[in-house]
Amino acid sequence: MLFRSIWSHTYTNNSLLGRYRLRYYANLTDGTSDALETTAYYNVERLEINFTLNSTQFTKDTIQIPATAYLYNGTAALPSQNLEVSFYFDSALNRTANTTSSGSLTYNYTHPTGIIGPRTLTLNATDANGIFAENNAAFTAYAKTFVNYTYTISYTPNSSMTITSYLYRNDTGAAINGTHNITERKSVV
């Protein structure tokens, strides 16, 4: 009589990076002492994407975002060549770019007009083996400003002088609220 069985097991490896061997074996239950055995090898690898970004950016400015992607296998850090890396700003895909043979890439990003405040840049990629990597950084986008002011040039002692100033955004030209510090100094002629 022939008996067949199927056995399935999910194995989770929490080990360090490297090459590992799994050995499966089964003892026969028909009274014989033979054992069936098979061996499988697998690698524990990690893909990393690293990049640098200043924490403050200005609208309409173009910034360079250098990045690198490496596959770590326990013995070496191998550059991930021709890996497609996706750039997301606040969860919206902005573009993709491929790494060079050294695992690096540089993305020139021009911050759009009208978007200011806290933002998040996320880079992610999945290599040919299905290994996923993601890294993100927060930054704040500001609008550059300029001051337009007027004042009276001469005044008589014990009179008042009027200074009016306005702040404007460089990217849109819109007036904005801000703090104005005006200091009066007595000059000696």
Side-chain angles (χ1 to χ4, degrees), residues 10 38 63 69 71 76-77 85 87 106 112 151 184:
T10 301
T38 185
I63 56 173
L71 181 67
V85 177
F87 290 77
T106 299
Y151 60 94
E184 181 182 25

Side-chain angles (χ1 to χ4, degrees), residues 3-168:
F3 293 95
R4 294 182 185 201
S5 66
I6 298 174
W7 181 69
S8 175
H9 177 72
T10 301
Y11 177 73
T12 302
N13 182 340
N14 294 321
S15 303
L16 299 175
L17 301 178
R19 185 163 173 81
Y20 291 88
R21 178 182 72 160
L22 275 180
R23 197 173 116 195
Y24 299 93
Y25 63 93
N27 291 322
L28 299 178
T29 59
D30 63 358
T32 64
S33 60
D34 293 338
L36 299 175
E37 182 178 317
T38 185
T39 302
Y41 292 92
Y42 67 94
N43 293 320
V44 176
E45 300 173 323
R46 181 181 75 238
L47 180 66
E48 279 191 11
I49 298 174
N50 299 301
F51 67 95
T52 56
L53 180 68
N54 292 333
S55 61
T56 302
Q57 303 299 332
F58 293 99
T59 57
K60 291 179 77 174
D61 280 359
T62 298
I63 56 173
Q64 281 193 340
I65 305 170
T68 56
Y70 288 95
L71 181 67
Y72 294 90
N73 64 11
T75 57
L78 308 171
S80 293
Q81 301 175 0
N82 201 31
L83 179 70
E84 184 178 79
V85 177
S86 299
F87 290 77
Y88 292 86
F89 284 91
D90 301 327
S91 302
L93 179 64
N94 185 267
R95 75 166 287 197
T96 61
N98 288 2
T99 58
T100 65
S101 61
S102 65
S104 64
L105 62 89
T106 299
Y107 172 38
N108 293 319
Y109 171 72
T110 302
H111 195 84
T113 298
I115 299 176
I116 58 174
R119 310 244 4 239
T120 302
L121 168 64
T122 302
L123 275 64
N124 68 33
T126 303
D127 75 358
N129 297 318
I131 301 173
F132 176 78
E134 182 173 274
N135 198 349
N136 60 52
F139 67 98
T140 302
Y142 294 95
K144 288 185 177 178
T145 59
F146 66 93
V147 177
N148 184 3
Y149 60 93
T150 60
Y151 60 94
T152 55
I153 294 184
S154 62
Y155 63 95
T156 59
N158 298 323
S159 67
S160 62
M161 177 167 141
T162 302
I163 300 174
T164 306
S165 66
Y166 301 93
L167 287 174
Y168 295 94

